[in-house]
Amino acid sequence: MRVAFRVDASTTIGTGHVMRCLVLADELRRRGVATLFVCRNHHGNLGERIQERGHGIELLTASTAPVNGPEQEMPPHAAWLGVSWEQDCAETEHVLCAYGKWDWLVVDHYALDARWESHMKTLTRCVFVIDDLADRPHECNLLLDQSYCGEYQDRYRELVPAHCQCLVGVSHVLLRPEFVEARRMMARRHDAVQRIMVNFGGVDQPGATEKALRVVRHVVPDSVAVDVIAGSLNPRLKQIKALCDSGDNIRLHIDCQQMAVLMCQADLAIGCGGVTALERAYLGLVSLVTSNAVNQDQAVADMAQRGMIIPYRDEVDLGRQLKTILASTLPTVVDAVNNGTNQIVDLMMNKSKCGMRPPQSSDGVVHA
């Protein structure tokens, strides 16, 4: 079985799309599946990390030219591709053709939609889309939206073909094995806050890490340990380092490879609404969360409504809520997140062996 991934990371896009695809790719590779990533050579593309994990990679040429086209025909995030979808389609097709026929093509990109996916159907038996916006049509056999935890499970009904099987919700989250093992081995947390974790993803263009850290320095006593996790691509890394150096109780971790361990050691986290919010909820870590991008707004609202996070609006609100939590007993996080990695890989391998059987209710949300 052979699986190709079309996904990008950059200082604009962030690292989350590639990181969640790597979870899937790692499990596929562990089961003997050949994997290849096709990524555009943006600044911050994570190509080295993909290679370090043992996967093949082909880099498409980067471009700084504006992406033009009829506005009504372009997805809201079309500019993230760096080229037109037609050019990306031709370049990806050229790369994939060199390897022959594929069993699955996994697409995780806000700039690509049904037009691009339709062209790829001659190169692969099945197309698997990972999305969390539901803002454009898809032509695929399988769709995963792991971040959505609202009540409207059928929000892709008008966006995918009738035969598409949709896995929607936080019971299908792609989690690395280290999180599953950490949850199994995790000791009971303190009733009051003794350790705080601050993390806003691998890039953090809005500078939320620095803003949160200034509040922490002002509100949190020196007796509370603070772990700050930032990526080497963070454009405010110099300022973050300076703030961390100003407190003996603060440790900075750059490109951390022990995220699950630090989450287990922490009593409280401050972060954004991306994939790490789901990882924290899976480990039962109380989190003060803000939206760090438009595409996180709905997920943050849904997670807050379900009791998985405590939302905050700005630095003033963060400071107020931090003081309240530090002076009280920690609340409990609703246990809603489940690891979906093995289930999804099983599904892909079964479909590959048997062809695309009709979807069944036991597979998850089914559009029929």
Side-chain angles (χ1 to χ4, degrees), residues 40-58:
R40 196 157 292 281
N41 193 15
H42 298 303
H43 176 51
N45 60 67
L46 295 186
E48 289 186 5
R49 185 171 300 188
I50 292 169
Q51 285 183 306
E52 287 171 0
R53 300 272 277 265
H55 307 288
I57 182 167
E58 295 276 1

Side-chain angles (χ1 to χ4, degrees), residues 38-352:
V38 181
C39 305
R40 196 157 292 281
N41 193 15
H42 298 303
H43 176 51
N45 60 67
L46 295 186
E48 289 186 5
R49 185 171 300 188
I50 292 169
Q51 285 183 306
E52 287 171 0
R53 300 272 277 265
H55 307 288
I57 182 167
E58 295 276 1
L59 289 176
L60 306 177
T61 304
S63 172
T64 56
V67 179
N68 298 315
E71 186 174 346
Q72 67 275 17
E73 297 180 6
M74 297 172 66
H77 293 81
W80 283 14
L81 203 56
V83 298
S84 69
W85 73 266
E86 293 95 335
Q87 181 177 339
D88 190 274
C89 185
E91 293 176 357
T92 302
E93 184 177 16
H94 177 75
V95 168
L96 294 182
C97 276
Y99 292 85
K101 190 82 172 180
W102 293 86
D103 294 289
W104 284 91
L105 172 59
V106 181
V107 189
D108 187 347
H109 208 302
Y110 292 160
L112 299 176
D113 60 19
R115 296 168 297 180
W116 188 97
E117 292 149 7
S118 295
H119 277 267
M120 293 299 158
K121 291 178 71 174
T122 58
L123 301 174
T124 179
R125 295 180 62 197
C126 307
V127 176
F128 177 8
V129 168
I130 302 177
D131 190 19
D132 43 43
L133 295 180
D135 65 347
R136 62 204 185 282
H138 291 293
E139 181 59 47
C140 57
N141 307 91
L142 181 64
L143 182 142
L144 169 67
D145 181 345
Q146 63 175 15
S147 67
Y148 189 68
C149 55
E151 297 178 355
Y152 302 103
Q153 295 280 307
D154 62 347
R155 67 178 186 151
Y156 288 92
R157 182 178 293 274
E158 305 298 326
L159 299 175
V160 297
H163 66 266
C164 177
Q165 182 173 342
C166 293
L167 305 175
V168 179
V170 293
S171 60
H172 307 289
V173 176
L174 293 169
L175 289 167
R176 298 196 296 274
E178 67 189 77
F179 288 96
V180 179
E181 180 65 12
R183 174 163 157 148
R184 193 176 68 83
M185 301 295 292
M186 188 169 56
R188 185 177 183 276
R189 286 198 167 85
H190 306 103
D191 293 328
V193 177
Q194 296 186 19
R195 193 174 206 97
I196 295 175
M197 172 183 179
V198 179
N199 173 40
F200 287 86
V203 178
D204 182 23
Q205 281 289 356
T209 308
E210 182 186 0
K211 294 173 184 173
L213 199 46
R214 291 189 185 282
V215 175
V216 167
R217 289 289 294 125
H218 181 66
V219 172
V220 175
D222 291 344
S223 58
V224 175
V226 180
D227 290 298
V228 179
I229 299 163
S232 55
L233 295 173
N234 191 308
R236 305 288 294 175
L237 193 56
K238 181 179 178 182
Q239 291 81 357
I240 292 169
K241 282 181 177 176
L243 281 166
C244 291
D245 289 342
S246 68
D248 292 336
N249 60 325
I250 304 176
R251 286 192 305 167
L252 175 62
H253 309 260
I254 299 174
D255 295 334
C256 177
Q257 300 297 311
Q258 294 185 309
M259 189 73 80
V261 173
L262 292 178
M263 285 186 186
C264 288
Q265 292 174 346
D267 304 304
L268 173 68
I270 304 172
C272 56
V275 174
T276 51
L278 299 172
E279 294 167 347
R280 293 191 299 262
Y282 179 73
L283 293 178
L285 178 57
V286 177
S287 301
L288 286 162
V289 174
T290 192
S291 174
N292 222 15
V294 173
N295 61 292
Q296 295 179 6
D297 291 350
Q298 188 62 51
V300 169
D302 291 339
M303 286 189 285
Q305 186 175 27
R306 198 160 177 178
M308 295 163 58
I309 63 163
I310 303 170
Y312 74 88
R313 295 184 301 277
D314 51 28
E315 293 96 303
V316 174
D317 192 29
L318 174 60
R320 181 183 62 79
Q321 298 210 54
L322 257 179
K323 289 178 182 176
T324 301
I325 291 174
L326 289 169
S328 60
T329 302
L330 283 163
T332 302
V333 178
V334 170
D335 186 11
V337 175
N338 290 316
N339 177 29
T341 307
N342 286 329
Q343 171 208 12
I344 293 167
V345 171
D346 288 346
L347 196 58
M348 293 174 70
M349 299 190 78
N350 287 336
K351 288 181 184 297
S352 181

